[in-house]
């Protein structure tokens, strides 16, 4: 099995080294990751200039750094290394839960894989004052990979590991009821206005969601799809909002 690994924290992140260390037990591993941190880059691609790629072996693993986005890394990695079976992204230093996944570069790398007909699995864990305990998380990453790599029908999965030693693994749905993004006004040292686009804690999380599971200490696995169509709205629109009136009156 050919396993391409990307991330959005950059090729030198301890998270990508931890993920590659576990992944190499399951097949041939190659890393292609951004040369600098591209967190919150979302699914941006670089279309206005060419990309460069340079070799950066990591702990004996074949690794490359690019000056592109997480999605670029996957497209480029799959171009240069044919027949990639699965793309793993992460382990991100910071959770990717609920509506936050819209901005996530970590998830975008996995999504890019799914767009290109490969499978994509994103891994994230909270990053607080203390750095994530990757040695503690590795056995759980191994268990998740054993399960997911054996389930080719799951094209795109968002995995979040809890902050402390996990107590188990749960299938979850994406938490979308609340949004944790917030703009906070501040001042620079000269007294000039500036603004932080930051994150606020979410309370009252719904049972069964990704956020709930990780708060309860579980590893959360959310299967995602590329089709964003709201089928209930489409049905309603087709039935109730006649286009005849717009087009022919
Ligand atoms: Mn990141």
């Amino acid at each position: 099995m050919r396993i391409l690994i990307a991330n959005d924290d950059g090729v030198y992140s301890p998270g990508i080294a931890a993920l590659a260390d576990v992944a190499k037990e399951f097949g041939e591993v190659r890393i292609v990751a951004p040369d600098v941190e591209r967190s919150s880059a979302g699914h941006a691609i670089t279309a206005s200039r060419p990309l460069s790629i340079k070799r950066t072996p990591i702990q004996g693993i074949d690794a490359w750094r690019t000056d592109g986005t997480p999605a670029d890394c996957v497209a480029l990695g799959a171009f240069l290394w044919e027949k990639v079976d699965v793309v793993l992204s992460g382990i991100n230093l910071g959770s990717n839960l609920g509506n936050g996944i819209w901005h996530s570069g970590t998830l975008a790398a996995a999504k890019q894989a799914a767009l290109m007909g490969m499978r994509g699995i994103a891994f994230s864990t909270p990053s607080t004052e203390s750095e994530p305990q990757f040695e503690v998380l590795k056995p759980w990453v191994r268990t998740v990979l054993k399960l997911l790599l054996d389930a080719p029908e799951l094209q795109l999965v968002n995995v979040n590991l809890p902050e402390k030693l996990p107590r188990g693994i749960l299938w979850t749905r994406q938490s979308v009821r609340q949004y944790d993004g917030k703009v906070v006004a501040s001042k620079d040292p000269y007294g000039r206005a500036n603004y932080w686009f930051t994150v606020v804690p979410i309370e009252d999380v719904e049972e069964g969601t990704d956020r709930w599971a990780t708060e309860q200490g579980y590893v959360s696995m959310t299967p995602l799809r590329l089709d964003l169509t709201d089928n209930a709205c489409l049905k309603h629109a087709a039935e109730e909002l006649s286009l005849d009136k717009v087009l022919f009156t």
Side-chain angles (χ1 to χ4, degrees):
M1 177 178 281
R2 282 198 163 177
I3 304 170
L4 177 66
I5 303 187
N7 74 354
D8 75 357
D9 290 337
V11 74
Y12 304 112
S13 167
I16 203 166
L19 182 54
D21 194 38
V22 179
K24 70 186 184 192
E25 298 167 21
F26 294 87
E28 259 184 290
V29 169
R30 186 181 283 190
I31 292 174
V32 180
D35 54 3
V36 292
E37 182 173 351
R38 305 296 293 255
S39 289
S40 301
H43 208 130
I45 56 168
T46 304
S48 58
R49 61 171 175 83
L51 296 165
S52 72
I53 184 162
K54 289 178 181 143
R55 190 164 235 150
T56 306
I58 292 172
Q59 293 172 12
I61 292 166
D62 187 22
W64 300 78
R65 63 184 192 273
T66 82
D67 56 353
T69 63
D72 290 333
C73 289
V74 172
L76 197 54
F79 177 79
L80 295 171
W81 199 33
E82 288 174 354
K83 297 180 183 153
V84 170
D85 296 291
V86 61
V87 173
L88 308 181
S89 179
I91 303 170
N92 189 59
L93 278 77
S95 299
N96 279 303
L97 301 163
N99 282 314
I101 71 175
W102 286 100
H103 311 299
S104 168
T106 305
L107 201 73
K111 253 191 297 162
Q112 183 64 34
L115 284 174
M116 295 173 71
M118 299 172 284
R119 299 167 57 208
I121 307 170
F123 288 87
S124 307
T125 192
S127 181
T128 51
E129 284 168 20
S130 57
E131 206 155 89
Q133 302 292 305
F134 289 115
E135 290 307 317
V136 170
L137 296 176
K138 274 182 186 178
W140 293 87
V141 172
R142 185 176 295 116
T143 304
V144 167
L145 283 178
K146 257 185 215 160
L147 187 74
L148 295 183
L149 294 180
D150 230 17
E153 68 276 22
L154 298 177
Q155 193 187 19
L156 180 60
V157 183
N158 184 29
V159 180
N160 277 273
L161 300 140
E163 190 169 358
K164 300 207 169 71
L165 180 66
R167 54 195 277 210
I169 304 177
L170 292 176
W171 293 110
T172 59
R173 67 182 193 279
Q174 185 191 0
S175 160
V176 292
R177 201 178 55 183
Q178 295 163 279
Y179 177 58
D180 65 357
K182 183 188 179 186
V183 175
V184 174
S186 183
K187 284 199 163 54
D188 76 5
Y190 297 99
R192 296 172 294 205
N194 62 19
Y195 302 89
W196 282 101
F197 195 154
T198 187
V199 172
V200 292
I202 284 182
E203 286 160 16
D204 302 327
V205 296
E206 296 159 281
E207 197 172 327
T209 61
D210 49 7
R211 198 176 292 280
W212 173 84
T214 51
E215 277 190 16
Q216 300 294 314
Y218 291 96
V219 177
S220 160
M221 300 191 301
T222 311
L224 300 173
R225 64 178 172 193
L226 297 176
D227 182 354
L228 298 177
T229 311
D230 185 328
N231 285 305
C233 270
L234 174 61
K235 186 168 181 288
H236 165 81
E239 287 170 3
E240 306 294 331
L241 304 172
S242 169
L243 296 178
D244 292 348
K245 283 185 202 151
V246 185
L247 296 174
F248 303 112
T249 59

